[in-house]
Amino acid sequence: MIGNWNTTAVRTLRSLRSTSAPMTYTLIAVCCLIFVLGPASGFTPSYGTGDALAAAQRAYFRRWGVVPADLFDGPAREALTPATALFIHGSWVHLLGNMLFLFVFGAMTEERMGRVEFTLFYLGCGYLALLGYAAANASSQQSLVGASGAISAVLGAFLYLFPSARVTSLLPFLFFLPLRFPAWVVLPFWAALQWLALDQAPSGPGVAYLAHLVGFGLGLGYAWVRYGRGTKVKAAPAPAPEGENQP
């Protein structure tokens, strides 16, 4: 059994070294592993069931997620939570929706930036996006988790670097027919939906649309400043499935 695990680990490491976007796939793998081992997946019996499981989930999200009120008025360790929260997800739908976006848009962005720059970009923008959300909701006691802010930054950078890349989108008002549009159509439309949802979102727990918008703006601004107008890449058409799940 141990030999099989060692063989699998070696093969995985070799495949990551040979791919052109190792950090994208590493981030996906880490997020999935942390979720499976956490209380939200339901795969770890040590967290119990029923009320015990619900209590474990609340404590877990509060420990590793961003609680705005604690971030600004709590102990110094709370300053790390915008980083740890990037790897925590609240449900299977939350996890898979975020990882789909990262898989689709992360690889080409990493290839353009390089693995080190992409990793720092992802973590830095994700941290600032969650920090921005917390600053706008400084008195909130709700835990915020998820890679949404970081992935939204990837979308912003992708829009600047690959505006002509073809993106396959599933539009609900067209009976989810897969249609291909350039990124400069799809991603601004996605950002507009986040803005509209932010304006209509009720107070309390829910989707952190503000973190999406902050991350998207940071990613777009970073790509514009870092690469300038003369270094945009004309990407060949690349499939990029996008559904209603939003990071």
Side-chain angles (χ1 to χ4, degrees):
M1 184 68 175
I2 295 177
N4 292 338
W5 277 106
N6 289 337
T7 301
T8 301
V10 170
R11 289 177 178 174
T12 301
L13 290 174
R14 286 177 179 173
S15 63
L16 285 175
R17 283 198 295 266
S18 64
T19 184
S20 58
M23 293 313 303
T24 296
Y25 303 127
T26 297
L27 288 168
I28 292 173
V30 170
C31 286
C32 290
L33 179 61
I34 290 175
F35 179 79
V36 168
L37 296 177
S41 69
F43 284 171
T44 308
S46 61
Y47 289 108
T49 59
D51 292 340
L53 178 59
Q57 290 174 351
R58 289 192 297 270
Y60 183 78
F61 295 147
R62 192 170 188 89
R63 172 66 178 81
W64 298 108
V66 178
V67 180
D70 294 343
L71 179 62
F72 296 110
D73 296 326
R77 63 157 294 276
E78 294 294 330
L80 296 176
T81 57
T84 59
L86 295 176
F87 299 93
I88 308 297
H89 291 83
S91 68
W92 281 103
V93 172
H94 188 202
L95 172 73
L96 295 177
N98 274 350
M99 295 305 101
L100 173 62
F101 272 72
L102 181 55
F103 175 78
V104 167
F105 295 100
M108 288 177 64
T109 306
E110 180 183 349
E111 288 175 16
R112 179 65 184 91
M113 291 184 174
R115 63 187 66 177
V116 174
E117 181 181 348
F118 175 79
T119 304
L120 295 175
F121 163 80
Y122 180 92
L123 296 175
C125 288
Y127 186 100
L128 292 175
L130 295 183
L131 186 64
Y133 175 90
N137 300 273
S139 62
S140 175
Q141 293 287 341
Q142 297 293 336
S143 300
L144 176 65
V145 297
S148 305
I151 297 172
S152 296
V154 172
L155 299 187
F158 187 97
L159 172 61
Y160 184 83
L161 295 173
F162 309 104
S164 299
R166 307 292 289 186
V167 177
T168 300
S169 301
L170 301 178
L171 303 179
F173 52 83
L174 292 179
F175 304 102
F176 295 99
L177 294 175
L179 300 174
R180 290 173 65 79
F181 298 99
W184 66 264
V185 172
V186 174
L187 295 179
F189 179 72
W190 174 86
L193 290 179
Q194 307 309 297
W195 180 268
L196 293 174
L198 173 64
D199 187 55
Q200 299 176 5
S203 59
V207 180
Y209 296 108
L210 179 59
H212 299 179
L213 290 170
V214 173
F216 187 82
L218 287 171
L220 184 62
Y222 176 87
W224 178 72
V225 172
R226 171 69 175 83
Y227 295 98
R229 294 189 177 185
T231 60
K232 271 191 241 183
V233 176
K234 292 184 179 180
E242 180 179 343
E244 281 193 299
N245 289 333
Q246 299 177 10

